[in-house]
Structures are given as structure tokens and as C-alpha cells.
Amino acid sequence: MSGVGVIVSDPWLQSQLTQVELRSLNSKFAALKNQREKVTLEDLPPALVKVKSLTSAFKEKEIREILPDLASDYATYDDLDFESFLRIYLILRDKAADKSGGLKHSASFLKANSTTLHTINQSEKGSFVHHINRYLGDDPFLRQFLPLDPDSDGLYELVKDGVLLCKFINIAVPGTIDERAINTKRVLNPWERNENHTLCLNSARAVGCSVVNIGTQDLAEGRPHLVLGLISQLIKIQLLADLSLKKMPQLIELVEDNDDIEEFLRLPPEKVLLKWLNFHLKKGGYKKTVGNFSSDLKDAKAYAFLLNVLAPEHCDPATLNAEDDLERANMVLEHAERMNCKRYLTAEEIVEGSSYLNLAFVAQIFHERNGLSTDGRFSFAEMMTEDIQSCRDERCYRLWINSLGIDSYVNNVFEDVRNGWILLEVLDKVYPGSVNWKHASKPPIKMPFKKVENCNQVVKIGKEMRFSLVNVDGNDIVQGNKKLILGFLWQLMRTHMLQLLKNLRTRTRGKDMSDTEIMSWANRKVKIMGRKSQIESFKDKSLSSGLFFLDLLWAVEPRVVNWNLVTKGEAEDEKRLNATYIVSVARKLGCSVFLLPEDIVDVNQKMMLILTASIMYWSLQQKSSSSSESSSSDTSSTHSTTTTCTSTDASPAPSVTGEDDVSSLNEEVSSLTIEEDNDADILSDVTSVSEEAAIE
């Protein structure tokens, strides 16, 4: 099925909404416009209350009370356009998610919602500050600024240079950022701050945060709701990191005899945490089942039972007998402190039912004392070994999918895509209008044939996109064929990247981009700048040293590579250092990449292509943004390219001087080799002339 779908001019708005939502909202907005000349805030409540995701959370009166508060955040609302209408809907959707207690949607704790909050919870802010003080207080650079005062705005000031958030990402997922790539001078210029923020956002995306609605300027301004939203996602990722069988085989103890192990594998981390909580509550004789981190924990009784099971030596018998909820909550916190669980929430916050703080508290208890068996009964989980490369690929595709801003959140690719829904969401995001949603079933899906129908449509669209799917049908995906799933996602990810590149090449008359063309572009870019490294394919073993990618990154933007940090890339540890630096430099430049340093060292052909294509995409974006200035005279550009290349060759080693000239050269050469020529032979001829000028 083909079609363009509903397209909006703002990219992050497009990423926030599925085509189903866009079509529904477009229909409602069009109906409003047909009824009146101008659409105002007052006109919205009757339409918004009928939107499915808001109906169960708000009454029309409540929406009417919320909307006036939005006027200060946006432009005047006396004549709303469609995109303003969408932004208002997104805010209300986030508020609806908060109102539901945070567990209405699968993996909601790791969803994009938290970065779009417009209300500041001071209790949560205080918790974030305490967490940062605890984990970064001894950092060699940041200790001069820490500890922060939870009651001040110091957090918002400190994030403005980007250092704190970059370092906190490494706390959430150790090793994500090569800290050599962070600009850590006490006073940074605007360029250096922007580099840090770009590195931060691309790295946050690479660990599973959704940052589709936040930009570098938002961080530079220290916008409170966006800063707190990003920090909350990072803390949740850190707290829930070990809640999987792969990292903690002891969790197999939570799987009851009548449970399906595959069902357990599909659980998002917060659901696993709830399962762990209820497992111990049942052992302790607690009669209720806790289903959320909010209302079910308000009376603190569940906490009292949990701590009595896990640490009876610290338990005060009076806790279980306390009649007042607030008194019981205080006793619970005292008990937790004796277990070395620092107090990040108050008794009042337990009684109020703060879903985020309660989740953090339960996770903290889990990390301190999980009470699970270590006697070897989890050998089954330990035997669940997977191919290392398959694990890396699964991680890459999972993070890529989550970065697209679809409604669903992927915890495990192999399990989560089996009903077909997530794959349909991805296809709809990559190719708007390709999915026939009338023939799709949304989870939870109880009837197996509905899953097959979804997956059959996935395969059908894949074949229309000319994917290699010989003898493949929807049931193969439903059955969880890992090789097939990885193969399909690779083709989808590759096609998406090639399409992005194709869209930037406005003068190619619709010509598709090829892998060979990407490699040729990279080799030309490096050679024109006077560097010697070249590759023959994306399987070239020389790529393991990292030097080619460092040359390429320097060629597109000399500022980002500090050659004093680069090794020869001969020994394994040298290769690893270079690879780690490459990933961070690429993200610092502005590339959205999800590979690991190991992929470079091992020369993973697929990831080498995507990394090169990502660098090419960034380079072409820069050219596209300045095309109006650089296209005034082809003759002038050619002359400038030739003379500047000649002078650059005089200094074979990278230099920090003349960087602006070199950056301009890159853009002009890109103009010649990528956009100006459509015929491949002509392109090759023009490139040869430029290369000869560069090396003579």
C-alpha cells in the first residue's frame, strides 16, 4: 500500500506522532477550521476530549482549565495553526500519562514523555540533585561545582556547558562517552558548549533516551522541564539496568512453574521490578498484589512487609502495627537507611504516591539487597547464551527504533517485534502512509492469527520496498526467527539511511544512493584533504585501526579531532582507544550512531557502512543549509577549491590553523562531487581534477 500520509514541517513533531495519530488529529483540526475562520484555545476542549488517548484521562472541563497555562509557553493562540494544535495535544498526552501513574503504557518509564513535561515537580528535582551529588561528587572536574543545593537553580546553570550531562550519561551507562571528547575548560566558548550538548544528545539517544523534542539550545538555556526530563530518563536507565536475565540470572527465581519463560523475557524492566516486589511480598504474607508505583504504595504497608523479608535484622516490629500511614512511611525510611539505602524521598512523598520516586526507591532497595537465590538454581538462565554479534546487532536496532519516536518502546527486539505492531510503526515512520492501519491489530493481541496478519503486512511492505525476503512470511516473524528479524531490520535501517542521503541530493533526478557511492565519497573526501588512508570496501581490515574514520571526521570538520589523542592503531588496546574516540567524536559532530567501539575494531561491515553514511549525511546537511550562499558561482567555487587544496597540502599533518578555510573547502568540494553532477562518469572526472590539484 502506498501513500504520503500526513506531513508536517517540524521534524520533531513528525517524529512524535504516528500516522494514525496525525490523520486523526488532522481530521479533528480540519473540522474545527471548517466551522470557524479562526481556531482559538477556547475551541479546542470539545475536540481534544474525543481523542482516544485523552478521553480516559480528562473531562472537557479539565482540559479547559489546563489550556490557559499553555499560552505563556507558545506564541499567541488567537489563530492556531495545525502544528500548534499538535504541540498542545502532545502536552496533554504527557499529562495523561503522568495521571495514569506512569505504567499505563509498556515501558512508559523510558518513553519520550518525560522530556516534554511543562510542570516542575520540586520533590523529584531534589531527588535528581541528590543523585547527581552522590554519583558525581568525586569527579575530578565537577567536584569544584558540587554538591548542588536542591533548593536552588544551580542545576540549571551547571548543565549549560554540557559537561555535567555528558558525565552523567557515563554514570547511567558506563563507557558510553569517551571523556577525552568532552570540552572541560572552566570557561567554554559557544562552539565548545554546542559540541558538548550535541555529544550529550546523541549519546543520550544512543543509550535509549528519547530526545526528539529537545535541542542543543534548550540545554544551553538550561530549560528546567527539558533538563529534568532528560535527567529522569538517565536515572531510570541506570536504576533499571540490571533487571534482565542476561545481566542477573538470579531473576529466573521469579518465573513460576506455570509461567512461560518467553513471557518473562518480554517484560519491560519496571514490570520485572514489580514482579520482584510481589514475589517477596507474597513470601512475607502480604495479601495484596502491587500493580503500580503510586497508589498501591501510598500506605507504606507493602514497604514494611518487603523490608521485613529482606532485612529482618533491621526491622522494627512496630512498623507493621503503625496505624498512621505517615508514621509508617517514616519508620520504613528509617529501616531502609539501616540497610544503607540513602533517603531520596520523604515520608510525605510516599504517602502522596509519587510514581517516579517510589520506583527509584524500590530499585534502590533491589540493588542493595535483592533477596534472590545464589545457590545455582538459575543455571537455565546462564545457559541462555547468544551469539555476541547478534547481541550487538540487536542492541543497535533496538536503540535505532527507540530513537525514531514511535509510541512503543523496545526492550528486546527479538521478543517485542513478534506481534508485528512495532515493525508496522517503524515502517510507518520511515515510509509515511505505507501501512494500512485498518488491517492492523494493536497490542495486547490475544488471537495468534492477528499477530500473523500484522507480520504478513510487514513482509508485504518489505517486498514492496524490494527487501530480500525470499520464502519469508509473517509467521516466521511471529515464531521469533532471530536471523530473519535481524536481516529485516538491517535492510530497513540501511534503506532509511540511503533514503535520507537521497533526499539531500536534490539534483540526482531520483537516483538511488549505493553502498559503493558512499565508500567513494568517503575516499574522495579523505584524499582531497591530503590524507593517505583509503579503503577498498567496508570489510577492509585496515578500518580496525580507526585511522580512516578519524581522517574522514577531520576532513568534514577539522575542529572535532584532537590528533594528540589518536594512537597508531596497531596494538589491540590502541585500536580500542581510537574506536572509542571515533564514536564520541562522531556524536560530538552531530551524527546519530548506535554502534559500539567493538564494531569498529572487529570491522563489522554493516556498522561500517552506517557510520560512514551517517558522517556523509551530516556533511551533506551542512552543505544543504548553506547551499544558497555557495551556489552563486560554479566558476568561483572551482577556482577556490583548486587553490585552497594546493595550499592545504603544504601541511600534511592536521593543523588547528586555517580551520575556517578548510571547512569552506569541504563544503565546496561536496558541492562539486555530490550535488552538481548527476552522471556518475562526469562526477568521477570532476573529482579526479580536484584530487590532482590537491596532491600536486
Side-chain angles (χ1 to χ4, degrees):
M1 181 179 177
S2 60
V4 295
V6 178
I7 307 296
V8 294
S9 61
D10 189 331
W12 83 258
L13 272 179
Q14 189 79 42
S15 297
Q16 284 283 78
L17 298 158
T18 67
Q19 280 297 314
V20 174
E21 289 176 304
L22 282 169
R23 283 193 289 268
S24 174
L25 293 168
N26 188 41
S27 174
K28 287 179 170 55
F29 186 76
L32 288 174
K33 289 291 287 185
N34 289 337
Q35 295 169 8
R36 50 187 61 79
E37 290 185 8
K38 295 182 178 180
V39 178
T40 68
L41 280 175
E42 288 294 319
D43 301 322
L44 300 187
L48 288 170
V49 78
K50 295 177 182 178
V51 178
K52 186 176 180 181
S53 59
L54 305 181
T55 300
S56 59
F58 299 114
K59 295 180 180 179
E60 183 178 328
K61 180 181 178 182
E62 293 177 295
I63 295 178
R64 199 171 293 281
E65 291 172 352
I66 293 172
L67 292 184
D69 295 334
L70 306 183
S72 60
D73 284 355
Y74 295 97
T76 58
Y77 281 157
D78 56 351
D79 187 10
L80 289 165
D81 59 16
F82 181 51
E83 293 194 7
S84 296
F85 176 69
L86 293 179
R87 289 188 177 89
I88 293 170
Y89 163 72
L90 288 174
I91 295 170
L92 290 171
R93 188 182 70 178
D94 295 335
K95 290 181 180 293
D98 290 341
K99 197 173 181 181
S100 69
L103 283 174
K104 183 174 181 181
H105 302 290
S106 176
S108 60
F109 279 106
L110 296 178
K111 197 66 180 72
N113 303 348
S114 52
T115 56
T116 55
L117 288 173
H118 280 66
T119 56
I120 306 300
N121 185 312
Q122 293 300 327
S123 297
E124 292 187 1
K125 176 203 165 189
S127 170
F128 299 163
V129 170
H130 284 303
H131 195 88
I132 289 169
N133 287 339
R134 178 184 181 186
Y135 285 95
L136 288 174
D138 294 329
D139 181 84
F141 178 78
L142 291 175
R143 62 188 176 194
Q144 61 185 311
F145 306 109
L146 300 177
L148 293 168
D149 180 0
D151 297 322
S152 75
D153 290 334
L155 173 63
Y156 308 133
E157 290 298 317
L158 191 53
V159 300
K160 290 182 178 180
D161 66 5
V163 177
L164 183 141
L165 289 175
C166 284
K167 287 180 174 285
F168 192 62
I169 287 172
N170 274 352
I171 295 295
V173 183
T176 299
I177 295 177
D178 185 336
E179 296 200 2
R180 297 176 299 169
I182 305 174
N183 300 317
T184 54
K185 294 188 301 184
R186 189 176 180 89
V187 179
L188 301 177
N189 62 43
W191 175 271
E192 292 167 328
R193 285 196 298 271
N194 187 70
E195 283 186 331
N196 281 349
H197 294 317
T198 303
L199 174 60
C200 165
L201 291 177
N202 281 312
S203 299
R205 185 182 291 110
V207 299
C209 293
S210 181
V211 294
V212 291
N213 57 338
I214 181 171
T216 57
Q217 189 60 30
D218 298 314
L219 297 182
E221 295 173 1
R223 295 182 64 184
H225 60 286
L226 294 175
V227 169
L228 295 181
L230 180 56
I231 291 174
S232 72
Q233 290 189 80
L234 291 169
I235 292 177
K236 290 162 190 172
I237 288 172
Q238 177 192 357
L239 292 175
L240 301 177
D242 294 333
L243 286 159
S244 70
L245 279 175
K246 189 180 297 183
K247 292 190 176 181
M248 186 169 285
Q250 298 97 311
L251 287 170
I252 196 69
E253 191 175 353
L254 304 183
V255 181
E256 300 175 7
D257 293 339
N258 59 346
D259 274 358
D260 185 351
I261 185 66
E262 292 184 357
E263 181 180 342
F264 185 81
L265 289 172
R266 285 195 291 268
L267 291 177
E270 69 269 20
K271 294 285 189 181
V272 175
L273 190 61
L274 277 177
K275 196 172 183 70
W276 170 82
L277 174 60
N278 284 308
F279 172 79
H280 285 302
L281 290 179
K282 185 178 180 180
K283 287 172 62 175
Y286 191 63
K287 303 300 182 183
K288 299 179 181 178
T289 298
V290 176
N292 58 59
F293 292 101
S294 182
S295 58
D296 289 356
L297 297 175
K298 281 185 175 183
D299 60 10
K301 289 181 180 179
Y303 281 131
F305 275 86
L306 175 66
L307 297 179
N308 188 45
V309 171
L310 295 176
E313 71 276 15
H314 297 309
C315 184
D316 184 347
T319 306
L320 296 174
N321 301 324
E323 296 183 1
D324 180 69
D325 291 348
L326 191 60
E327 179 188 359
R328 187 183 305 109
N330 268 311
M331 297 175 75
V332 161
L333 291 175
E334 291 171 3
H335 184 178
E337 282 194 287
R338 291 195 289 271
M339 288 174 56
N340 199 34
C341 291
K342 291 205 172 184
R343 187 178 294 199
Y344 286 154
L345 79 171
T346 65
E348 289 79 9
E349 287 156 358
I350 292 178
V351 174
E352 290 169 2
S354 169
S355 60
Y356 176 85
L357 295 179
N358 275 305
L359 173 131
F361 186 41
V362 175
Q364 189 183 28
I365 295 171
F366 172 85
H367 286 293
E368 190 61 38
R369 189 174 299 195
N370 60 52
L372 297 174
S373 172
T374 57
D375 62 5
R377 285 181 291 173
F378 47 85
S379 57
F380 174 76
E382 289 183 319
M383 291 190 297
M384 296 175 58
T385 56
E386 297 183 53
D387 174 68
I388 293 176
Q389 191 56 59
S390 294
C391 291
R392 286 187 201 163
D393 290 346
E394 185 276 336
R395 172 194 171 276
C396 175
Y397 302 142
R398 167 167 39 89
L399 295 172
W400 171 66
I401 291 171
N402 288 333
S403 75
L404 296 175
I406 64 174
D407 275 355
S408 303
Y409 189 92
V410 179
N411 292 289
N412 183 316
V413 166
F414 298 132
E415 295 299 325
D416 294 349
V417 304
R418 288 173 59 181
N419 61 24
W421 180 261
I422 287 175
L423 292 176
L424 289 174
E425 286 187 286
V426 175
L427 286 165
D428 189 55
K429 190 66 69 172
V430 174
Y431 288 94
S434 63
V435 178
N436 185 345
W437 291 107
K438 293 181 179 179
H439 294 162
S441 299
K442 186 175 183 179
I445 305 172
K446 296 182 179 180
M447 303 300 291
F449 76 90
K450 291 291 186 182
K451 298 178 183 179
V452 176
E453 285 182 352
N454 281 354
C455 292
N456 280 338
Q457 185 176 180
V458 168
V459 173
K460 177 177 178 291
I461 297 171
K463 290 179 177 178
E464 290 174 356
M465 293 162 61
R466 299 183 180 179
F467 287 3
S468 177
L469 296 169
V470 180
N471 297 324
V472 173
D473 61 28
N475 193 53
D476 294 315
I477 298 175
V478 175
Q479 295 301 317
N481 185 318
K482 293 183 179 181
K483 184 177 180 180
L484 185 151
I485 291 170
L486 291 177
F488 183 88
L489 287 173
W490 159 243
Q491 293 181 84
L492 185 55
M493 185 181 191
R494 174 182 172 277
T495 302
H496 183 219
M497 177 55 73
L498 296 183
Q499 185 182 33
L500 290 174
L501 290 171
K502 175 183 174 182
N503 291 341
L504 282 178
R505 297 179 61 184
T506 56
R507 303 184 186 183
T508 57
R509 295 194 295 267
K511 179 184 175 184
D512 290 332
M513 181 76 70
S514 68
D515 299 1
T516 301
E517 206 167 353
I518 294 171
M519 183 185 69
S520 298
W521 172 87
N523 278 329
R524 287 195 301 271
K525 203 74 174 173
V526 170
K527 190 173 183 179
I528 286 172
M529 293 301 291
R531 307 298 288 168
K532 303 299 182 182
S533 58
Q534 295 282 283
I535 59 172
E536 296 181 357
S537 73
F538 291 114
K539 295 187 292 185
D540 196 316
K541 293 301 181 183
S542 67
L543 287 170
S544 67
S545 71
L547 296 179
F548 178 80
F549 285 120
L550 288 165
D551 284 342
L552 179 59
L553 288 163
W554 178 79
V556 299
E557 181 47 77
R559 295 176 186 267
V560 296
V561 178
N562 181 348
W563 290 99
N564 293 325
L565 302 176
V566 177
T567 73
K568 293 181 180 180
E570 296 174 350
E572 287 300 311
D573 58 339
E574 291 180 335
K575 293 179 180 179
R576 170 76 190 194
L577 282 170
N578 282 353
T580 304
Y581 187 55
I582 288 165
V583 173
S584 290
V585 168
R587 290 173 180 157
K588 183 177 181 178
L589 182 68
C591 302
S592 183
V593 293
F594 304 101
L595 79 169
L596 292 169
E598 292 85 349
D599 291 315
I600 298 175
V601 175
D602 295 343
V603 192
N604 180 340
Q605 181 182 0
K606 297 173 183 176
M607 296 303 118
M608 298 303 91
L609 167 61
I610 294 298
L611 175 58
T612 309
S614 297
I615 298 171
M616 182 179 184
Y617 180 64
W618 181 88
S619 179
L620 294 186
Q621 278 185 311
Q622 310 315 300
K623 177 69 188 101
S624 177
S625 65
S626 59
S627 59
S628 59
E629 299 176 7
S630 61
S631 61
S632 58
S633 173
D634 291 342
T635 304
S636 175
S637 294
T638 305
H639 175 72
S640 175
T641 301
T642 304
T643 56
T644 310
C645 282
T646 304
S647 63
T648 305
D649 190 57
S651 179
S655 171
V656 295
T657 61
E659 290 173 345
D660 291 336
D661 291 337
V662 173
S663 180
S664 175
L665 160 67
N666 289 345
E667 292 178 350
E668 289 162 349
V669 172
S670 178
S671 175
L672 283 170
T673 60
I674 298 301
E675 293 192 18
E676 296 295 331
D677 300 287
N678 299 316
D679 182 87
D681 294 331
I682 297 176
L683 185 148
S684 178
D685 292 340
V686 174
T687 304
S688 298
V689 173
S690 299
E691 290 174 349
E692 289 169 3
I695 60 178
E696 283 179 354

